């Protein structure tokens, strides 16, 4: 009788141990699943890259000429009458004259503000062109300033616009001001061209 009770006690102990082992195993599996899910959820998402078609030199050049005409019209209708009334000398080429300083200021403000807010000037809008950053981020004031003010000032040094001509020979059609601002000029609408960039 005592032997039978001992055997039954041993079996109950083994069953209890087996149940504990099963419970521990299930808990371990749940923990592994949770850890796997945590690893999946915490993996950084890859940034979506967008393809842009590089703008041609011809449309860029004509858009720039249209912008210069627009700036000239703004200056002629707003600033020039004021300079005339105060007796300032008009149409002078002296570097530090009020005429040269104000006309340059209006031009740089136009390019910087339009590029920062809309990513394009009115001339670029007409031809469906846009300025984008090389890293794909949104244009900020620093990028717009260095591209449109500092960069274009350097591109136009000595009056020969060598920095603009550079885009004719550079592989990704970047002028000096594009290289300074880390930007591309691209087409807004998708067209079939052989040369494109990813940002």
């Amino acid at each position: 009788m005592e032997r039978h009770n001992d055997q039954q006690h041993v079996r109950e102990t083994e069953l209890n141990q087996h149940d504990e082992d099963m419970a521990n195993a299930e808990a371990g599996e749940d923990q592994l699943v949770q850890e796997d899910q945590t690893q999946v959820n915490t993996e950084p998402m890859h940034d979506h890259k967008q393809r842009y078609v590089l703008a041609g030199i011809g449309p860029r050049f004509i858009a720039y000429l249209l912008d210069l005409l627009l700036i000239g019209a703004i200056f002629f209708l707003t600033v020039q009458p004021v300079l005339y009334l105060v007796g300032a000398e008009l149409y002078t080429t002296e570097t530090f004259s009020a005429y040269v300083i104000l006309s340059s200021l209006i031009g740089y403000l136009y390019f910087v503000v339009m590029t920062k807010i809309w990513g394009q000037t009115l001339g670029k809008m007409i031809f469906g062109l846009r300025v984008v950053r090389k890293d794909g981020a949104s244009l900020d004031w620093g990028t717009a300033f260095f591209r449109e003010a500092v960069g274009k000032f350097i591109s136009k040094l000595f009056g020969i616009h060598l920095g603009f001509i550079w885009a004719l020979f550079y592989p990704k059609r970047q002028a000096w001001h594009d290289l300074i601002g880390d930007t591309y000029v691209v087409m807004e609408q998708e067209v079939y061209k052989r040369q494109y960039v990813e940002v």
Side-chain angles (χ1 to χ4, degrees), residues 5-192:
N5 291 336
D6 291 341
Q7 290 178 348
Q8 186 175 2
H9 178 70
V10 170
R11 288 178 181 175
E12 289 178 355
T13 303
E14 290 177 351
L15 288 174
N16 290 335
Q17 184 65 39
H18 177 71
D19 292 340
E20 288 180 2
D21 292 340
M22 290 294 293
N24 291 333
E26 290 177 357
E29 289 177 358
D30 292 340
Q31 185 176 2
L32 288 174
V33 170
Q34 291 176 357
E35 290 177 355
D36 291 339
Q37 289 176 345
T38 303
Q39 292 175 358
V40 171
N41 292 334
T42 56
E43 286 182 356
M45 296 181 64
H46 296 288
D47 294 333
H48 175 68
K49 290 189 175 182
Q50 189 168 359
R51 258 181 203 182
Y52 291 100
V53 177
L54 288 168
I57 301 300
R60 289 179 62 176
F61 176 70
I62 300 175
Y64 181 65
L65 290 181
L66 290 176
D67 287 325
L68 292 182
L69 289 174
L70 179 61
I71 293 169
I74 294 172
F75 184 83
F76 179 79
L77 294 174
T78 59
V79 179
Q80 189 164 311
V82 176
L83 293 177
Y84 177 79
L85 290 174
V86 299
E89 186 178 358
L90 302 178
Y91 309 114
T92 179
T93 57
E94 293 181 9
T95 305
F96 296 105
S97 67
Y99 181 86
V100 172
I101 292 174
L102 289 175
S103 60
S104 299
L105 182 61
I106 289 176
Y108 285 124
L109 281 175
Y110 168 82
F111 282 108
V112 170
V113 173
M114 292 289 293
T115 301
K116 165 58 182 78
I117 296 177
W118 289 284
Q120 52 190 170
T121 59
L122 291 176
K124 286 185 175 68
M125 290 179 186
I126 293 173
F127 286 91
L129 311 180
R130 179 176 294 276
V131 177
V132 296
R133 276 177 47 157
K134 192 174 179 179
D135 59 5
S138 300
L139 290 171
D140 54 23
W141 286 108
T143 300
F145 176 78
F146 276 102
R147 183 187 191 275
E148 301 297 335
V150 178
K152 284 189 175 177
F153 178 81
I154 295 174
S155 290
K156 293 187 292 186
L157 278 179
F158 311 116
I160 58 176
H161 291 70
L162 183 60
F164 290 83
I165 298 172
W166 184 267
L168 289 170
F169 308 100
Y170 200 76
K172 293 186 178 179
R173 303 174 188 170
Q174 289 176 288
W176 286 357
H177 45 279
D178 289 311
L179 295 172
I180 291 172
D182 279 337
T183 59
Y184 297 116
V185 180
V186 298
M187 302 292 297
E188 279 196 301
Q189 301 296 328
E190 182 178 359
V191 294
Y192 293 98

